[in-house]
Amino acid sequence: MTTKNRTIPYTLTALQADAYTTPPQYEAGVSSILFANADNVARTVDLNLYVAATAATSVLLGSVSIPAFSILQITDGLWLARGDKL
């Protein structure tokens, strides 16, 4: 299987939305997730994992506050199967 490495930028909004869905022909290894708050006030972030095989959603981050002009990095790896979503 061909390996494709890339960075996927995504701008967060106040609405829940899929930031990434693994394409049907691939699986994906996520080595890091980085949240950057470039605003002058703290922002809260949630991150869910949807597992397509079981149609189950799990909370990875629940209402975590990121201070103004700060970053939050998740360095624990994830493996996403076909159709899984973040």
Side-chain angles (χ1 to χ4, degrees), residues 58-75:
S58 299
V59 175
L60 299 179
L61 290 178
S63 299
V64 174
S65 180
I66 303 174
F69 304 112
S70 297
I71 63 169
L72 169 67
Q73 185 172 17
I74 300 170
T75 56

Side-chain angles (χ1 to χ4, degrees), residues 10 12-17 19 33 35 43-49 58-66 72 74 86:
Y10 183 79
L12 298 177
T13 66
L15 303 174
Q16 183 175 339
I33 299 173
F35 296 95
R43 297 293 179 187
T44 301
V45 66
D46 295 288
L47 179 64
N48 297 322
L49 170 64
S58 299
V59 175
L60 299 179
L61 290 178
S63 299
V64 174
S65 180
I66 303 174
L72 169 67
I74 300 170
L86 289 175

Side-chain angles (χ1 to χ4, degrees), residues 4 20-23 26-31 78-82 84:
K4 295 183 179 186
Y20 179 76
T21 302
T22 309
Y26 294 103
E27 294 180 344
V30 178
S31 58
L78 294 171
W79 187 259
L80 304 179
R82 296 170 174 94
D84 290 354

